[in-house]
Amino acid sequence: MAGIYIHIPFCYKRCHYCDFYKSTNFSLKNEYLKSLFLEIESRKDFLKNESIQTVYFGGGTPSVLTVVEIDEILNKLRAVFDLSAVKEITLEMNPDDALPQYLGELRKIGINRLSVGIQSFNDQLLTLLNRRHDTRQAENVISMMREAGFDNFSIDLMYGLPSMDIDTWKASVNKAIGFNPPHISAYHLTFEKGTRFYEKLKQGLLKEASEDESLQQFQFLVQTLKANGYDHYEISNFAKPGKQSQHNSSYWAGLSYLGLGPSAHSFDGKMRQWNISDINTYITGLSEVKDIFESETLSLTDIYNELIMIQLRTAKGLDLELMQNKVGEKLFTQFMTSIKKHETNGNVVLQDGFYRVRKERLFVTDNIIADLFYCE
Ligand code: SF4
């Protein structure tokens, strides 16, 4: 089983916390689309004969494209790959791009899941983040999606924001639940190098949330969503029954994926490739039939670290049998020795062949993962 990711590298403006690759220069959009079609053709053998189950338009902002442009990309994919087994086609969207006609037409061309970057239901925080939308647009988008026939969608929220107190966070979470979305992703802010927030932090103009504040916000999120029927299936992801993201779940299961567009990553089970994070080089490279990606074959240690990093963040946990098969006896023994300490101190539990981080220790998952990493 495999998935396809398409990176749409355009945004109307830059959010102050975001380090995803994107350009605000839309004059390159047509050239980018032509290059994307060339890349689709050139990568037709990457997934070999694996059954493609999911397609995901991420970014950047995929909803800056017209429905015709998105349909052309899908048709190009269908011409090159067998998409007959695809169950989920997701498109990331900004709330202010959502108009009833646009949503209705997306549904008609086969998009069956939307992921909306709401981030907060507080206008002051949305301004601080430099988002394009306001609370009113965030509220409207949910009813518009439902009216357009989308019964599968996700909303993104952010916590650990500077100057956000617990009451403001509670109000955002409660507002979100009031709309009963099938899926919620909630991410803690990280100050990534190269972002406006990072600069402001260094200049002392912004203050990071304290660990206590972050923990309090995380605990409120987890308890409230659980009480409202959400399955906490990955550290940042919550779903109503049957509404888990199939695309992301396949990443976490270690399945193959092909990434298309600048900065997109691909993985075939053994080798990782990452496209150049520069739209001009991407366009030139494809027109001159040059490689636009770098690649590395994963060592056993890389596979070991990756399994720990990805699977311990999921509720399902780390699959011991998979670990043993993938990394060999020496590293498997290393893992069993290292994990014992965390089992003894109550960080993790072994159940049905899977090691899981205990619910009450989820907030320190990253520390557990870092401790388990192996360096040669
Ligand atoms: S958060 Fe999304 S909309 Fe904002 S700059 Fe990043 S990719 Fe663009």
Side-chain angles (χ1 to χ4, degrees), residues 1-69:
M1 291 205 296
I4 295 179
Y5 171 84
I6 304 113
H7 191 80
I8 309 298
F10 299 103
C11 294
Y12 288 117
K13 70 179 196 181
R14 293 169 190 273
C15 302
H16 285 170
Y17 56 90
C18 173
D19 75 335
F20 292 142
Y21 178 69
K22 71 267 174 193
S23 167
T24 50
N25 178 3
F26 278 68
S27 67
L28 292 171
K29 192 173 80 167
N30 288 342
E31 281 302 304
Y32 157 76
L33 288 170
K34 277 188 212 156
S35 305
L36 179 66
F37 287 7
L38 291 176
E39 192 191 8
I40 291 172
E41 281 167 16
S42 73
R43 306 301 296 275
K44 65 178 188 299
D45 297 324
F46 184 81
L47 294 172
K48 304 183 182 80
N49 288 326
E50 291 197 62
S51 166
I52 298 163
Q53 306 272 321
T54 58
V55 174
Y56 192 103
F57 289 86
T61 313
S63 55
V64 299
L65 296 183
T66 63
V67 174
V68 171
E69 288 164 338

Side-chain angles (χ1 to χ4, degrees), residues 217-228:
Q217 291 170 18
F218 180 71
Q219 284 175 337
F220 176 78
L221 172 79
V222 171
Q223 285 158 11
T224 310
L225 294 193
K226 187 177 173 211
N228 283 275

Side-chain angles (χ1 to χ4, degrees), residues 215 218-219 222-223 226 230-235 237-238 313-316 346-349 356-365:
L215 177 61
F218 180 71
Q219 284 175 337
V222 171
Q223 285 158 11
K226 187 177 173 211
Y230 288 87
D231 171 28
H232 189 185
Y233 71 109
E234 198 268 347
I235 194 152
N237 288 282
F238 304 80
R313 293 173 65 88
T314 66
K316 198 171 171 197
N347 282 340
V348 298
V349 61
R356 299 185 184 92
V357 177
R358 283 181 189 271
K359 291 271 180 209
E360 59 277 17
R361 303 288 168 90
L362 277 174
F363 192 67
V364 294
T365 301

Side-chain angles (χ1 to χ4, degrees), residues 294-317:
E294 293 182 65
S295 55
E296 65 174 357
T297 301
L298 297 185
S299 67
L300 289 182
T301 306
D302 294 333
I303 295 170
Y304 173 94
N305 287 335
E306 199 152 297
L307 277 174
I308 290 170
M309 187 170 69
I310 293 173
Q311 294 202 332
L312 273 184
R313 293 173 65 88
T314 66
K316 198 171 171 197

Side-chain angles (χ1 to χ4, degrees), residues 49-295:
N49 288 326
E50 291 197 62
S51 166
I52 298 163
Q53 306 272 321
T54 58
V55 174
Y56 192 103
F57 289 86
T61 313
S63 55
V64 299
L65 296 183
T66 63
V67 174
V68 171
E69 288 164 338
I70 296 165
D71 196 28
E72 281 171 358
I73 297 172
L74 281 172
N75 285 333
K76 186 70 191 176
L77 289 173
R78 287 187 191 106
V80 173
F81 298 99
D82 178 4
L83 298 193
S84 59
V86 166
K87 297 178 193 141
E88 182 187 273
I89 307 180
T90 304
L91 184 110
E92 287 180 357
M93 164 166 282
N94 268 15
D96 50 336
D97 291 326
L99 293 170
Q101 190 184 347
Y102 185 68
L103 292 169
E105 286 174 5
L106 286 178
R107 194 80 190 88
K108 280 191 202 142
I109 63 164
I111 304 293
N112 58 14
R113 185 172 184 273
L114 295 171
S115 175
V116 192
I118 284 178
Q119 317 309 355
S120 174
F121 286 101
N122 178 290
D123 280 328
Q124 267 176 314
L125 287 173
L126 289 171
T127 303
L128 177 77
L129 296 168
N130 204 32
R131 296 291 303 185
R132 275 197 281 143
H133 66 278
D134 59 21
T135 302
R136 187 186 48 81
Q137 288 168 312
E139 290 170 5
N140 288 344
V141 68
I142 299 179
S143 46
M144 273 195 263
M145 286 191 288
R146 286 213 165 93
E147 277 160 28
F150 285 97
D151 64 351
N152 196 4
F153 60 86
S154 179
I155 65 171
D156 283 358
L157 296 176
M158 291 179 78
Y159 65 102
L161 300 178
S163 74
M164 183 175 80
D165 61 24
I166 184 70
D167 289 335
T168 308
W169 175 236
K170 283 182 178 176
S172 261
V173 173
N174 287 331
K175 174 80 89 173
I177 287 169
F179 291 111
N180 196 25
H183 190 283
I184 298 177
S185 298
Y187 301 100
H188 191 285
L189 171 71
T190 48
F191 287 84
E192 303 289 353
K193 236 180 178 168
T195 63
R196 183 69 68 87
F197 265 17
Y198 184 83
E199 281 167 36
K200 284 189 170 181
L201 181 73
K202 291 291 151 209
Q203 292 163 0
L205 299 173
L206 281 182
K207 199 166 148 261
E208 274 183 280
S210 71
E211 200 159 320
D212 281 350
E213 287 171 321
S214 297
L215 177 61
Q216 200 184 14
Q217 291 170 18
F218 180 71
Q219 284 175 337
F220 176 78
L221 172 79
V222 171
Q223 285 158 11
T224 310
L225 294 193
K226 187 177 173 211
N228 283 275
Y230 288 87
D231 171 28
H232 189 185
Y233 71 109
E234 198 268 347
I235 194 152
S236 306
N237 288 282
F238 304 80
K240 286 284 171 83
K243 299 298 185 189
Q244 288 84 354
S245 160
Q246 295 181 43
H247 187 80
N248 290 339
S249 295
S250 69
Y251 284 147
W252 303 326
L255 303 182
S256 304
Y257 51 89
L258 170 64
L260 302 160
S263 82
H265 284 226
S266 305
F267 177 61
D268 70 356
K270 291 191 177 107
M271 182 184 52
R272 184 167 301 290
Q273 296 184 339
W274 55 98
N275 285 357
I276 191 97
S277 293
D278 181 272
I279 191 164
N280 287 300
T281 319
Y282 175 81
I283 291 168
T284 316
L286 281 156
S287 70
E288 294 175 359
V289 201
K290 287 184 187 154
D291 277 351
I292 44 88
F293 56 80
E294 293 182 65
S295 55

